[in-house]
Amino acid sequence: MKQGLSLRVSQHLALTPQLQQSIRLLQLSTLELSQEVEQMLDDNPFLERTAEEAAREEFGIDVSDAPAPREEHDSDRQSESDGEFAPSALATSADGASTTTTASETEAPAAEMSDQEPDWGGDGTVEMTPDDGEWGGEAPASSNNLGPNDGSERTDATELARSQESLQSFLHRQALSLRLNENDQAALRFLIESLNDDGYLEDSLPALASGLAGDDNDQFDGLVHHFQVALGLLQSLEPVGVGARDLGECLAIQLKALAHENETAEEKQIRKTAILICKQPMELLARRDFKRLATLTRSNEEEVRSALQAIAKLEPKPGRRFVDVERNIVVPDVIVTRTGRGATLKFRVMLNPDVMPRLRVHDIYAGALKAHKGEGSQALSQRLQEARWFIKNIQQRFDTILRVSNAIVERQKSFFVHGELAMRPLVLREIADELGLHESTISRVTTAKYMSTPYGTVELKYFFGSALGTETGGNASSTAVRALIKQLVSAESIKKPLSDSQISDMLKEQGIECARRTVAKYREALRIAPANLRKAL
């Protein structure tokens, strides 16, 4: 093969570290961003929290209205790139004053960043006025408005979750009042620690004993005996039903605890029938097979119906209220509130200041590096530039979230007035084309980001839904159709629940083309049981 030289002209897109960081920060959730900020604060000496944020972290007070005095340093006269990032620095205007352009899938909200701070004007909010002619009147008052301007002091949910007592701690505290010997006390403690989050004992007593005794048969028999004694004690503790091996045993324990001195003969018979039902296969209970249950329990159908009503009032998961709820907390990134009424009705779109980190470049360290250029200054200058990039990327992240939220509220105005039944079809491309971004950027923004609305806190992806055809030639949002299915099911007769075919026909009567299989898919997504399981519920 002959060697040679040739010239070729080509273009390619290079992902700089700054651009890669911008893309990664954009797709992080609020919790992940908080962890990323903490990691960067530990790794980069040039990055620090603002004085207000540090005081709030340390003392739990809000000093945002009273800026802390700062000493005058030479570094204060540097370029604005060393400025701080605070919530008041983020805003967009209704006429789209802040601009972000992206044309390729790999582009982030800010493909290029200069050393100058962007112009963040305004108060960090966007106010939007609905089209009264389109909405048709005044919006109904919402009882579950989650806006921050309700004037009441609310306890932080995260602190409540952290201070919540666990199920094991609650049971151990009760066990202290029991007078037990050392072996029974150890067995009870072992069973308590073997419970799952729902309060059930998943492993059998012989299985637990074999794991401790090994091949020693004498020790195995002794452990089983102690575990049997401890299990009886465990099931006598609060919450009632804890320590059960299965759902039937859990319900039976709770039914036995309902016995009281003033119990009538009829109540006693119903409770006895309910206990017998709990000993039968749970499939019969789920299917409401009254005839089969009446035969197995040797009672009549009327008693079975009364017994099932008593069972429905029980708690199938005794440890539910002790589960650490911190993992289920959703902190909204964007807050939408209603202001005014009638013709003056507006929506205020603002970023949640509680999730926005307040960061700045350390003035003293930056000034010292600028004044003393010596050995190792190049590496330190690189870390300083990384701190500036990090602050700018966070600014761009929240700016993009606000812009996308603004566009969503503009497109889904009817939802914020009338609820999910008024949701319109919306796809990622519509928002991307409006803002000049790529669909992948919109997907990153709307994933694991939440918005607090007058109708509850929902993920930004909730506002996007496919379109279903209508008889008039228009389109209906799949989200609105699901809400309509839920409304139809809630209004059905418990004796004659609606089948999927009937629901499909009812939707067609309202002009919505929705096949039976589509109805079944939406019903399963809403966690609604089939018609045969909803009967006589």
Side-chain angles (χ1 to χ4, degrees):
M1 185 175 178
K2 206 171 179 183
Q3 294 182 349
L5 296 176
S6 63
L7 296 177
R8 184 175 61 182
V9 179
S10 63
Q11 294 181 342
H12 68 279
L13 180 64
L15 285 177
T16 64
Q18 181 181 2
L19 184 57
Q20 293 177 10
Q21 184 186 66
S22 178
I23 294 174
R24 185 167 53 84
L25 291 179
L26 186 61
Q27 65 187 8
L28 295 180
S29 65
T30 300
L31 179 60
E32 293 170 340
L33 177 65
S34 177
Q35 295 172 348
E36 185 76 14
V37 170
E38 293 295 335
Q39 182 68 29
M40 185 62 71
L41 287 171
D42 292 338
D43 295 343
N44 197 317
F46 291 97
L47 199 64
E48 68 170 353
R49 298 186 186 274
T50 62
E52 295 84 355
E53 175 71 4
R56 190 170 66 89
E57 288 274 331
E58 182 175 358
F59 303 107
I61 58 176
D62 186 7
V63 293
S64 57
D65 296 334
R70 293 176 54 191
E71 297 182 1
E72 186 71 22
H73 299 285
D74 294 338
S75 59
D76 291 340
R77 291 184 290 272
Q78 295 186 64
S79 66
E80 293 181 357
S81 61
D82 290 346
E84 63 185 49
F85 168 53
S88 59
L90 284 177
T92 61
S93 58
D95 56 356
S98 99
T99 60
T100 303
T101 57
T102 298
S104 66
E105 181 173 352
T106 56
E107 285 189 52
E112 296 181 358
M113 295 184 181
S114 63
D115 288 339
Q116 295 182 350
E117 291 287 348
D119 183 12
W120 309 101
D123 59 350
T125 64
V126 177
E127 289 193 0
M128 303 174 56
T129 305
D131 185 356
D132 294 332
E134 175 187 358
W135 291 357
E138 185 177 326
S142 176
S143 60
N144 57 342
N145 194 321
L146 301 181
N149 300 325
D150 54 2
S152 61
E153 296 183 0
R154 295 173 298 177
T155 306
D156 185 74
T158 306
E159 295 300 327
L160 288 176
R162 290 173 180 170
S163 62
Q164 184 177 4
E165 187 178 23
S166 66
L167 174 63
Q168 280 74 17
S169 300
F170 182 68
L171 293 172
H172 284 313
R173 187 155 52 84
Q174 295 181 69
L176 294 176
S177 61
L178 301 177
R179 295 183 179 180
L180 304 175
N181 57 46
E182 185 177 353
N183 292 333
D184 291 339
Q185 187 177 12
L188 178 58
R189 187 182 303 111
F190 185 81
L191 292 184
I192 291 176
E193 293 299 329
S194 301
L195 298 174
N196 61 14
D197 291 340
D198 295 331
Y200 285 87
L201 192 63
E202 295 179 333
D203 299 324
S204 63
L205 299 184
L208 295 175
S210 62
L212 296 176
D215 297 332
D216 191 340
N217 294 330
D218 294 336
Q219 186 179 7
F220 173 80
D221 295 337
L223 286 174
V224 171
H225 172 71
H226 288 298
F227 282 155
Q228 289 175 345
V229 175
L231 181 62
L233 295 172
L234 175 60
Q235 294 180 351
S236 66
L237 301 178
E238 294 286 341
V240 181
V242 70
R245 272 72 62 87
D246 52 48
L247 177 59
E249 184 179 11
C250 176
L251 299 176
I253 293 173
Q254 297 180 56
L255 289 168
K256 293 176 182 178
L258 293 176
H260 55 87
E261 297 179 356
N262 300 327
E263 187 178 23
T264 63
E266 183 180 359
E267 293 175 345
K268 185 176 181 179
Q269 180 60 34
I270 293 175
R271 186 170 57 84
K272 181 180 177 181
T273 303
I275 294 175
L276 293 175
I277 290 175
C278 294
K279 296 180 180 181
Q280 308 304 323
M282 289 292 104
E283 292 78 7
L284 300 177
L285 181 61
R287 294 200 305 264
R288 269 69 174 177
D289 194 341
F290 300 111
K291 294 183 178 180
R292 181 65 175 165
L293 290 173
T295 302
L296 293 175
T297 57
R298 297 181 181 179
S299 55
N300 54 54
E301 291 189 24
E302 188 63 31
E303 289 182 355
V304 171
R305 293 179 185 274
S306 301
L308 290 181
Q309 292 179 359
I311 293 175
K313 299 177 182 179
L314 304 178
E315 173 57 71
K317 297 180 180 180
R320 189 202 306 265
R321 64 186 178 95
F322 293 93
V323 176
D324 186 5
V325 296
E326 186 171 358
R327 62 188 178 186
N328 298 324
I329 292 176
V330 174
V331 180
D333 300 86
V334 182
I335 299 174
V336 179
T337 55
R338 264 196 304 236
T339 59
R341 301 177 69 86
T344 62
L345 179 64
K346 294 183 180 180
F347 289 97
R348 189 165 180 254
V349 183
M350 61 177 293
L351 294 168
N352 185 1
D354 293 336
V355 303
M356 300 167 62
R358 299 163 175 84
L359 304 174
R360 68 179 181 186
V361 173
H362 201 293
D363 296 333
I364 298 177
Y365 291 169
L369 178 62
K370 184 178 181 180
H372 304 282
K373 296 289 186 180
E375 184 179 357
S377 61
Q378 184 176 0
L380 292 176
S381 298
Q382 184 177 0
R383 301 308 300 272
L384 177 59
Q385 188 62 32
E386 289 176 359
R388 292 171 179 171
W389 284 352
F390 189 72
I391 292 176
K392 291 177 183 295
N393 286 333
I394 290 182
Q395 289 175 334
Q396 286 297 133
R397 176 187 185 272
F398 283 101
D399 175 51
T400 306
I401 292 175
L402 183 61
R403 292 180 62 206
V404 172
S405 301
N406 182 12
I408 290 175
V409 174
E410 177 68 31
R411 294 277 182 148
Q412 298 289 4
K413 291 181 290 189
S414 298
F415 165 81
F416 294 92
V417 177
H418 304 292
E420 56 185 353
L421 285 174
M423 190 79 76
R424 291 183 172 182
L426 182 65
V427 294
L428 297 177
R429 179 173 292 278
E430 296 182 41
I431 302 297
D433 293 342
E434 179 179 343
L435 300 180
L437 304 175
H438 195 273
E439 288 183 57
S440 62
T441 302
I442 305 300
S443 177
R444 293 186 182 99
V445 171
T446 56
T447 301
K449 315 296 188 304
Y450 295 87
M451 176 185 290
S452 175
T453 72
Y455 296 96
T457 300
V458 296
E459 190 178 11
L460 292 182
K461 278 191 178 299
Y462 172 76
F463 296 98
F464 296 86
S466 58
L468 295 176
T470 61
E471 292 181 352
T472 59
N475 293 322
S477 171
S478 59
T479 305
V481 174
R482 283 194 293 266
L484 185 57
I485 291 174
K486 183 166 59 176
Q487 188 179 76
L488 293 174
V489 171
S490 63
E492 69 183 3
S493 172
I494 60 175
K495 295 183 179 180
K496 293 183 179 180
L498 299 173
S499 64
D500 295 339
S501 299
Q502 290 175 321
I503 294 177
S504 177
D505 294 338
M506 295 176 71
L507 292 176
K508 289 180 181 179
E509 292 176 1
Q510 300 189 28
I512 301 175
E513 297 293 337
C514 189
R516 182 195 63 80
R517 296 181 63 182
T518 305
V519 171
K521 182 179 69 173
Y522 289 165
R523 176 182 54 74
E524 292 174 358
L526 294 169
R527 296 184 179 182
I528 298 176
N532 62 326
L533 296 182
R534 300 199 308 270
K535 187 175 182 180
L537 186 61

